[in-house]
């Protein structure tokens, strides 16, 4: 779950990470009210879950109520890379002497946490990585050892941060690491991490992703869900324990395994179709799971056909075929299904489907032909 900047900052604050005083505003009047409360100058910041808001005109400095009105009015409703601004964060403006970059995330291949720190912050870190890779100091942190103060200090030196703020930077990064670990983040990024003229180190932006697998440890995360971007379909899928991501096309997709589900989305695109969703039905693709998956997919009014792409490994194709047939008998209405089965017991599975073929069920043994058929049917 990705947090908005203001939610990330509120989360940071719980771990003692310094952030600016501010509040949210959903209207121009509220924006002025918050600005009057926190004191001028303020920064008016678009709350959308996408970076580069500054460049897009979604971050503006305001010195008085008129300027807040002007900027809040312009930014509310603004479209930033396809995200419409519905909420603002108004905070006390900071004086900036230096802009750094800091983040923690998981490096799966190293089986360790990865810390990245750079004295060249503020801009896109991808740009820094491309143009001046040496300007980013990386450390791997063994989750068992954790981040020690000593290692953190060496890291700060390697990143060539201003030596005058070394102690503050170390303290900041240890808190950020604590937030990342105790707070069960999969990403905790601060860009820019600023140094003020008074030598204070301070988070001016936040990008936080929470590891949803840890949600059971964090009842307080429920507060973040109010503004979550989950659409209706995703909410329904989540309740049914399905790995579903809603897309905007007409071809519903069910596959077993995240990799195959992504390949299915790709192949539908490649043959000129538009996927309506990503759905990984997981291992046990039995009748109940199939009914749940098809229900969620068919609730999407855009769906004209469902492409079921199964590769049987441990899951046997005959079981899946029986599940599909049983699901069809239980569902009053569904878009037609194009099913591709391969792998363990494929022949038996195909035989079961062939024996039940109808205008609602078409079996095609290979993936490319099945994708083409599904796209053709969606277009009809
Ligand atoms: P992003 O563009 O989505 O990454 O949004 P940021 O929150 O990082 O803001 C973009 C840029 O706006 C920062 O890098 C700063 O240069 C500038 N900015 C944001 N807040 C302040 C502030 O309080 N004071 C000043 N002077 N500049 C700010
Ligand atoms: Mn930023």
């Amino acid at each position: 779950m990705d947090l908005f900047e203001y939610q990330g900052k509120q989360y940071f604050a719980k771990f003692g990470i310094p952030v600016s005083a501010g509040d949210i505003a959903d209207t121009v009047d509220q924006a002025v009210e918050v600005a009057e409360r926190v004191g001028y100058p303020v920064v008016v910041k678009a709350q959308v879950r996408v970076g580069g808001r500054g460049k897009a005109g979604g971050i503006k400095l305001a010195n008085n109520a008129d300027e807040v009105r002007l900027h809040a009015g312009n930014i509310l409703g603004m479209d930033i890379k396809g995200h419409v601004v519905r909420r603002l964060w108004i905070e006390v403006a900071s004086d900036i002497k230096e802009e750094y970059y800091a983040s923690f995330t998981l490096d799966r291949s190293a089986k360790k946490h990865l810390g990245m720190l750079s004295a060249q912050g503020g801009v896109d870190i991808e740009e820094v990585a491309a143009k001046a890779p040496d300007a980013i100091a990386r450390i791997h942190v063994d989750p068992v050892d954790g981040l020690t103060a000593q290692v953190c200090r060496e890291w700060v030196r390697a990143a060539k941060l201003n030596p005058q703020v070394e102690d503050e930077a170390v303290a900041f990064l240890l808190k950020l690491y604590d937030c990342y670990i105790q707070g069960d983040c999969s990403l905790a990024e601060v860009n820019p991490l600023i140094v003020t003229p008074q030598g204070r180190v301070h988070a001016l932006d936040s990008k936080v992703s929470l590891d949803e697998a840890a949600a059971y440890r964090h009842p307080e995360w429920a507060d973040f869900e109010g503004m979550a971007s989950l659409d209706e379909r995703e909410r329904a899928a989540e309740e049914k324990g399905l790995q579903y991501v809603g897309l905007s096309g007409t071809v519903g997709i069910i596959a077993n395994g995240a990799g195959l589900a992504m390949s299915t989305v790709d192949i539908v695109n490649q043959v000129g179709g538009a996927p309506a969703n990503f759905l990984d039905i997981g291992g046990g693709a039995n009748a109940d799971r199939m009914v749940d998956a098809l229900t969620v997919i068919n609730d999407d009014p855009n769906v004209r056909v469902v492409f079921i792409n199964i590769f049987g490994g441990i899951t046997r194709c005959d079981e899946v075929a029986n599940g599909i047939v049983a699901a069809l008998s239980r569902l009053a209405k569904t878009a037609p299904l194009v099913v591709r089965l391969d792998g363990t017991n494929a022949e038996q599975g195909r035989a079961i489907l062939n024996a039940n073929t109808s205008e609602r069920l078409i079996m095609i043994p290979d993936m490319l032909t099945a994708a083409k058929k599904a796209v053709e049917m969606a277009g009809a």
Side-chain angles (χ1 to χ4, degrees):
M1 176 169 52
D2 294 340
L3 299 186
F4 287 102
E5 176 202 1
Y6 77 91
Q7 295 173 323
K9 284 181 166 170
Q10 289 168 347
Y11 207 51
F12 282 172
K14 287 188 190 178
F15 294 88
I17 297 168
V19 291
S20 306
D23 207 344
I24 52 172
D26 294 342
T27 64
V28 172
D29 286 343
Q30 281 175 16
V32 173
E33 188 264 310
V34 174
E36 300 280 330
R37 182 152 36 96
V38 300
Y40 297 102
V42 296
V43 186
V44 180
K45 308 188 77 174
Q47 297 301 290
V48 281
R49 289 194 191 82
V50 62
R53 295 165 302 161
K55 276 187 199 156
I59 311 244
K60 295 284 180 194
L61 199 72
N63 291 298
N64 52 52
D66 285 345
E67 289 181 14
V68 171
R69 260 181 210 291
L70 174 71
H71 296 312
N74 285 338
I75 296 172
L76 279 169
M78 182 184 273
D79 186 307
I80 300 180
K81 300 179 187 167
H83 298 244
V84 178
V85 182
R86 302 260 170 249
R87 178 163 277 184
L88 303 170
W89 171 251
I90 313 290
E91 72 174 27
V92 176
S94 302
D95 288 332
I96 303 176
K97 198 171 103 189
E98 292 173 76
E99 290 189 305
Y100 301 153
Y101 171 95
S103 70
F104 289 103
T105 187
L106 181 64
D107 182 345
R108 289 169 199 276
S109 51
K111 297 180 184 154
K112 287 181 177 161
H113 301 299
L114 172 66
M116 289 197 277
L117 184 62
S118 177
Q120 297 186 23
V123 292
D124 276 349
I125 196 65
E126 287 80 6
E127 229 168 82
V128 178
K131 286 188 191 148
D134 293 345
I136 303 172
R138 294 177 169 79
I139 48 159
H140 278 105
V141 182
D142 189 307
V144 176
D145 301 339
L147 179 62
T148 64
Q150 182 55 37
V151 168
C152 189
R153 191 167 294 275
E154 284 161 17
W155 183 34
V156 166
R157 287 181 185 161
K160 301 193 177 69
L161 305 191
N162 182 345
Q164 288 175 345
V165 299
E166 187 174 297
D167 288 348
E168 277 231 22
V170 169
F172 183 99
L173 292 165
L174 290 172
K175 282 178 191 152
L176 187 63
Y177 183 76
D178 189 42
C179 172
Y180 168 76
I181 296 292
Q182 303 304 327
D184 283 308
C185 304
S186 51
L187 171 71
E189 183 187 76
V190 182
N191 187 25
L193 167 62
I194 61 156
V195 180
T196 67
Q198 297 76 33
R200 296 274 88 83
V201 172
H202 184 108
L204 213 61
D205 191 7
S206 85
K207 191 169 169 197
V208 172
S209 298
L210 301 174
D211 175 3
E212 272 156 78
Y216 71 97
R217 281 200 283 259
H218 297 279
E220 81 279 10
W221 286 2
D223 295 348
F224 295 139
E225 277 156 16
M227 285 284 288
S229 67
L230 282 190
D231 67 29
E232 271 313 306
R233 302 172 297 171
E234 290 179 356
R235 228 180 276 283
E238 193 175 286
E239 274 170 22
K240 293 177 160 60
L242 295 167
Q243 300 296 325
Y244 173 98
V245 179
L247 302 169
S248 56
T250 54
V251 181
I253 286 171
I254 297 175
N256 64 330
L260 185 60
M262 283 194 275
S263 301
T264 311
V265 167
D266 284 348
I267 203 166
V268 165
N269 268 312
Q270 266 169 28
V271 301
N277 68 280
F278 163 101
L279 193 156
D280 169 14
I281 197 165
N286 60 20
D288 286 344
R289 299 275 295 167
M290 205 48 89
V291 166
D292 282 349
L294 285 171
T295 302
V296 167
I297 288 178
N298 281 292
D299 279 346
D300 176 347
N302 292 331
V303 170
R304 300 215 192 111
V305 62
V306 184
F307 178 17
I308 302 182
N309 188 8
I310 302 289
F311 190 89
I314 295 167
T315 309
R316 290 168 17 218
C317 287
D318 53 325
E319 280 177 354
V320 176
N322 281 325
I324 293 171
V325 173
L328 269 182
S329 71
R330 279 158 56 183
L331 287 169
K333 75 181 224 325
T334 169
L337 313 183
V338 175
V339 185
R340 174 261 184 166
L341 287 180
D342 209 343
T344 309
N345 289 4
E347 287 312 318
Q348 292 94 314
R350 292 172 189 168
I352 292 165
L353 294 181
N354 279 330
N356 290 277
T357 296
S358 69
E359 72 278 8
R360 295 208 300 171
L361 179 59
I362 297 162
M363 197 287 295
I364 294 178
D366 81 281
M367 181 159 155
L368 182 60
T369 314
K372 284 180 178 161
K373 180 69 183 171
V375 168
E376 178 199 311
M377 288 168 69

